[in-house]
């Protein structure tokens, strides 16, 4: 059963500002991560980061809005929506850290000016980001700001699809944004989850994640005969732990199976899987175990975070767009230099893009707060 | 689609006078029957509201959670920012993890042993209505049969700064609240409160058109299609049965 069709996309990551640049970069090896320098008291901390291309880390307030607004505009243009269609479209944004980077910059500035400074006095309303992006583009339909950590924009797509399928709106604009901020950077640094030498999901040498930045937007609408569309999906709470899925794979398997059931498919009908692949010891273990429980014979598996870093709340829409772009070019993504041989987890990743025909694919996402989401998409 | 019935509602509502915020840790321990450690007001009040909502009943394990808030766990975010930028202290691991506002969904799910859907949603004006719509979409699609839908916002001391954040005049009254509904699908019985819709409209004309269309539909469907609220009033007049879960104190539905 076909659900909403993917009509147009915009994306800005470390790989470039535009879909074509991003897809082109996925045919090469993952880029080497840069570093961001932070200060905690007297201590200097350097964290690995894949920041937005063409947007250096200065003028924090302006860079965020410019990148996010532009990407929404690209998606609307790519989908060819009329002004009237935009006015009636739903707007759903998935993000983990909202515009906290902007609040950090304002608070730091006020502290340095010796003002009576307090955090989050400029904006404490989570929906302000969506409101601003909606107003910039004249989007007038229902508005959702979804914050379920790293599953946020994947969950936004599930509700956007339901708004379209129920006939409440003809189109929905689904956005994922995640912008470099010091709390997230230092939080992961403190959890010792940052990689020293690039992200290597499922690899025996995996050592954590690289911080990623992304603004991505996808316009969806009623099913059409060609192109990618959503086929099914599922979201489940995982109460094993607040920061990791159950390492036995059971909760990961539950959400993968539920998404397959929703798509009315059996595991052997899946032509490829885009894994969450955070390259942390625990999450990769849980994800590999979950896939092993569901798939008797593993389909090709890919991981996109080595290219763009972990873009947290934005990874749902961002990785979906990159994945679809690659399949439309006829190739299943590879990660040269990462997990070339089956690792301790029994997973192997392609070393060069694998020619592939249109088919049915599954994309998995897991987040803090015990939130697991799986999407099934198809083209052709 | 089967009716979506309001099985229970529970709330916490406390106007805050003076500077002292009520002790929610003790209240949470009393309400939940156990202490929840190393979490802030946002998570504690989420638990209190949800626990009051289900009362003595145990929600089925497949129950989904939809939590809405205008500001999320602002307290944890403010603490982490003050520590980092004013005191030069790195975020503590658990505080950092709890900066994601959906941590509150996790604690509610864990307390009741739930493994259904879990969503945290916000909006400038209609956070709770959006969460209700998300739940109704899932009910319509057959994805969910039982749901806890909450609206939660808390305060941070000092209140003078909070009023600045909220754009309120000095001394303006402020309150904390955690309101929850327990929804289940099924054929409605006399006396049941039925939730029919939660919709957003681009403008007044779209709202009027929607209401007119529904009015026409209702008239065609006859007396059987009256709203849950009217049905409840009618059934109360006739001495009809009480809702399955007695509406707890401070119930605001009526």
């Amino acid at each position: 059963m076909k659900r909403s069709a993917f009509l147009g996309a915009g994306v800005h990551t470390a790989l470039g500002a535009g879909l074509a640049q991003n897809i082109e970069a996925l045919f090469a090896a993952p880029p080497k991560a840069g570093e961001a320098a932070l200060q905690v008291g007297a201590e200097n901390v350097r964290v690995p980061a894949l920041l937005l291309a063409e947007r250096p880390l200065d003028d924090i307030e302006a860079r965020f809005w410019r990148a996010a607004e532009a990407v929404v505009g690209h998606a609307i243009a790519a989908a060819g929506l009329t002004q009237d269609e935009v006015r009636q479209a739903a707007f759903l944004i998935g993000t983990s850290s909202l515009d906290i980077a902007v609040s950090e910059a304002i608070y730091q500035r006020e502290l340095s000016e010796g003002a009576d400074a307090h955090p989050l006095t400029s904006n404490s309303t989570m929906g302000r980001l969506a409101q601003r992006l909606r107003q910039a583009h004249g989007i007038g339909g229902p508005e959702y700001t979804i914050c379920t950590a790293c599953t946020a924009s994947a969950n936004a797509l599930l509700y956007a699809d339901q708004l379209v399928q129920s006939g409440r709106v003809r189109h929905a604009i689904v956005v994922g944004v995640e912008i470099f901020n010091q709390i997230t950077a230092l939080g992961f640094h403190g959890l010792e989850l940052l990689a020293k030498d690039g992200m290597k999901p499922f690899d025996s040498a995996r050592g954590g994640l690289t911080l990623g930045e992304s603004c991505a937007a996808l316009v969806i609408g009623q099913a059409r005969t060609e192109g990618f569309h959503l086929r099914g999906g599922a979201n489940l709470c995982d109460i094993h732990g607040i920061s990791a899925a159950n390492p036995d794979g059971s909760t990961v398997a539950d959400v993968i199976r539920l998404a397959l059931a929703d798509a009315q498919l059996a595991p052997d009908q899946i032509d490829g899987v885009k894994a969450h692949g955070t390259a942390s010891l625990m999450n990769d273990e849980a994800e590999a175990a979950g896939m092993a429980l569901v798939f008797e014979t593993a389909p090709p598996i890919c991981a996109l975070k080595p290219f763009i870093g972990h873009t947290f709340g934005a990874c749902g829409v961002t990785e979906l767009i990159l994945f679809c772009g690659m399949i439309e070019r006829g190739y299943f993504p590879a990660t040269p230099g990462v997990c070339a041989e089956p690792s301790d987890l029994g997973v192997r990743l392609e070393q060069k893009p694998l020619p592939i025909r249109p088919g049915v694919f599954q994309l998995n996402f897991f987040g803090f707060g015990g939130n697991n989401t799986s999407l099934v998409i198809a083209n052709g | 689609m089967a009716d979506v019935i309001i099985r229970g509602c529970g709330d916490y509502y406390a106007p805050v006078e003076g500077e002292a915020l009520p002790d929610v840790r003790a209240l949470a321990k009393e309400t939940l029957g156990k202490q929840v450690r190393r979490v802030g007001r946002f998570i504690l009040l989420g638990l209190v509201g949800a626990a009051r909502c289900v009362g003595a009943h145990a929600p089925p394990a497949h129950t989904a959670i939809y939590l809405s808030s205008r500001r999320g766990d602002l307290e944890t975010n403010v603490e982490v920012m003050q520590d980092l930028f004013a005191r030069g202290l790195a975020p503590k691991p658990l505080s950092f993890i709890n900066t994601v506002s959906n941590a509150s969904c996790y604690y509610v799910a864990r307390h009741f042993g739930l493994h259904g859907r879990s969503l945290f949603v916000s909006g400038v004006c209609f956070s709770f209505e959006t969460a209700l719509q998300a739940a109704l979409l899932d009910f319509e699609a057959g994805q969910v049969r039982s749901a806890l839908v909450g609206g939660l916002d808390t305060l941070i001391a000092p209140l003078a700064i909070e009023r600045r954040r909220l754009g309120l005049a000095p001394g303006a009254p402020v309150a904390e609240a955690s309101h929850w509904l327990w929804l289940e699908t099924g054929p409605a019985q006399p006396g049941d409160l039925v939730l029919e819709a939660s919709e957003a409209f681009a403008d007044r004309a779209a709202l009027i058109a929607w209401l007119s269309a529904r009015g026409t539909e209702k008239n065609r469907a006859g007396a059987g299609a009256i709203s849950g609220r009217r049905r409840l009033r009618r059934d109360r007049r006739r001495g009809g049965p009480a809702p399955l879960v007695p509406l707890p104190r401070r119930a605001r539905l009526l």
Side-chain angles (χ1 to χ4, degrees), chain A residues 152-216:
Chain A
S153 56
N155 285 332
L157 176 65
L158 290 178
Y159 287 95
D161 170 62
Q162 295 202 38
L163 285 165
V164 171
Q165 294 308 307
S166 67
R168 283 173 173 82
V169 295
R170 284 177 63 203
H171 301 98
I173 300 162
V174 193
V175 177
V177 291
E178 203 69 42
I179 289 296
F180 183 86
N181 63 85
Q182 301 183 53
I183 292 174
T184 302
L186 293 167
F188 279 103
H189 177 72
L191 288 168
E192 298 181 347
L193 283 175
L194 294 182
K196 290 187 175 62
D197 187 25
M199 282 183 80
K200 298 186 173 72
F202 305 108
D203 196 300
S204 302
R206 67 191 180 278
L209 58 89
T210 302
L211 302 160
E213 280 194 308
S214 173
C215 297

Side-chain angles (χ1 to χ4, degrees), chain B residues 13 39 84 89 93 122 218:
Chain B
Y13 172 78
V39 297
L84 180 55
L89 302 171
S122 188
K218 290 274 157 65

Side-chain angles (χ1 to χ4, degrees), chain B residues 205-222:
Chain B
L207 168 64
I208 291 170
W210 183 82
L211 287 171
S212 307
R214 284 180 74 82
T216 314
E217 212 174 277
K218 290 274 157 65
N219 290 340
R220 252 190 246 123

Side-chain angles (χ1 to χ4, degrees), chain A residues 148-152 154-155 158 233-256 258-259 276 283 286-287 290 363-375, chain B residues 102 106 115-119:
Chain A
T148 52
C150 306
T151 56
N155 285 332
L158 290 178
N235 162 251
L236 288 174
C237 190
D238 182 344
I239 54 175
H240 171 77
I242 195 163
S243 60
N246 192 332
D248 72 5
S250 57
T251 50
V252 168
D254 284 346
V255 79
I256 292 176
L258 193 60
H276 189 53
N283 269 311
E287 187 168 17
L363 295 86
N364 298 323
F365 306 93
F366 312 107
F368 279 3
N371 204 293
N372 300 340
T373 297
S374 180
L375 306 174
Chain B
N102 65 308
Y106 169 83
H115 51 75
R117 283 197 162 203
S118 171
L119 186 73

Side-chain angles (χ1 to χ4, degrees), chain B residues 36-47:
Chain B
V36 184
R37 294 179 197 279
R38 302 203 296 164
V39 297
R41 296 182 80 75
F42 190 76
I43 288 170
L44 290 172
L45 282 181
L47 283 163

